[in-house]
Amino acid sequence: MNLPYDDIAEQQADLMRMLLPHLNETLPDGRFILGVLPPPPPAETVRIVTGSSPQAPAEDLTVWEIPLRSDPDSEDLLGGDEVLGLVRALHTGTQIFSSSRLSTVMGMRLVLVDPTQVAPAPPDETDATTTILRTLVQPWTEDQPDPRLRGYLRRPDRLRLYFDREDDITVVAADVRPAGAVTAVLAALDSLLSEAGQQPDGDPHCSRKLDLTNW
């Protein structure tokens, strides 16, 4: 059952918000979540990037493409806890995938995950604590900022941010330096995203990109 892509885009953005508290969490094998990427339409998936550090070369990173629904006939989409459970399980023990499920994207290894073949790691006490505290500090709301953050990717000395707008779910990427004038960039972001930008240099997750690293 195919949902309107607006619903898929909204779920990708919700997953982005729900996974942020786990930005610095160590996965079972010592790796970290380094990115959440919005696959281009009509893919009903989310891509989670993991690696040893943002400084690791692209070939040492893994992009896990996870379907947002384990049952093709269901309207129910996977939530943040379920996606996190799958990512943790994928970093537990040795994982073997057929060559048909392996490829590359942006120089990173891309693995197509079959959720029916992976037993998600259960949430732990820290997860419950995080949920309680986050709910008290930032009560959940379906309203998202405009422009809306759809994903991110951490690389050496830069952060690629993926945005769309309330009236246009076409994704635009913006590269910023975390050590740069981030406050100024964020203040001007709405107008900056209206600029023409450049071709996305082999990044299939956006239609164009902006280089804001010199701000």
Side-chain angles (χ1 to χ4, degrees):
M1 179 180 296
N2 293 325
L3 295 176
Y5 191 72
D6 285 6
D7 293 342
I8 301 301
E10 182 178 352
Q11 185 68 1
Q12 289 173 349
D14 285 345
L15 286 170
M16 172 73 248
R17 286 197 292 176
M18 296 171 73
L19 291 174
L20 270 183
H22 304 279
L23 180 67
N24 294 315
E25 174 187 318
T26 305
L27 295 169
D29 64 355
R31 292 177 174 254
F32 300 89
I33 295 177
L34 300 177
V36 178
L37 304 175
E44 296 185 344
T45 63
V46 66
R47 289 177 174 176
I48 309 297
V49 183
T50 62
S52 59
S53 78
Q55 286 70 43
E59 59 266 25
D60 290 344
L61 305 184
T62 301
V63 182
W64 306 98
E65 180 166 314
I66 300 174
L68 288 178
R69 160 174 54 205
S70 56
D71 181 357
D73 296 322
S74 172
E75 292 187 3
D76 295 332
L77 301 177
L78 296 184
D81 291 341
E82 294 163 305
V83 170
L84 180 61
L86 288 170
V87 172
R88 286 173 174 166
L90 291 165
H91 286 270
T92 303
T94 301
Q95 305 292 331
I96 300 176
F97 300 93
S98 67
S99 58
S100 63
R101 290 191 168 272
L102 301 176
S103 60
T104 60
V105 60
M106 299 169 64
M108 302 177 286
R109 184 176 73 142
L110 174 64
V111 181
L112 305 181
V113 177
D114 180 354
T116 64
Q117 300 301 310
V118 182
D124 57 24
E125 184 177 333
T126 299
D127 294 329
T129 301
T130 300
T131 298
I132 292 169
L133 296 178
R134 182 182 59 198
T135 302
L136 292 172
V137 175
Q138 296 177 316
W140 184 264
T141 173
E142 293 186 0
D143 295 330
Q144 294 254 15
D146 190 18
R148 174 177 65 176
L149 186 62
R150 288 274 299 278
Y152 72 95
L153 178 62
R154 299 173 67 189
R155 298 304 296 129
D157 194 33
R158 71 178 51 205
L159 179 66
R160 177 163 292 185
L161 303 170
Y162 296 87
F163 295 96
D164 67 6
R165 294 184 180 277
E166 184 177 351
D167 58 352
D168 183 1
I169 59 173
T170 303
V171 176
V172 178
D175 287 344
V176 301
R177 289 191 196 281
V182 176
T183 302
V185 171
L186 294 178
L189 187 61
D190 191 22
S191 59
L192 289 172
L193 289 179
S194 299
E195 296 182 3
Q198 308 165 357
Q199 293 300 309
D201 65 4
D203 186 345
H205 309 99
C206 59
S207 61
R208 57 189 173 89
K209 75 178 185 72
L210 302 171
D211 186 353
L212 307 180
T213 56
N214 293 322
W215 272 62

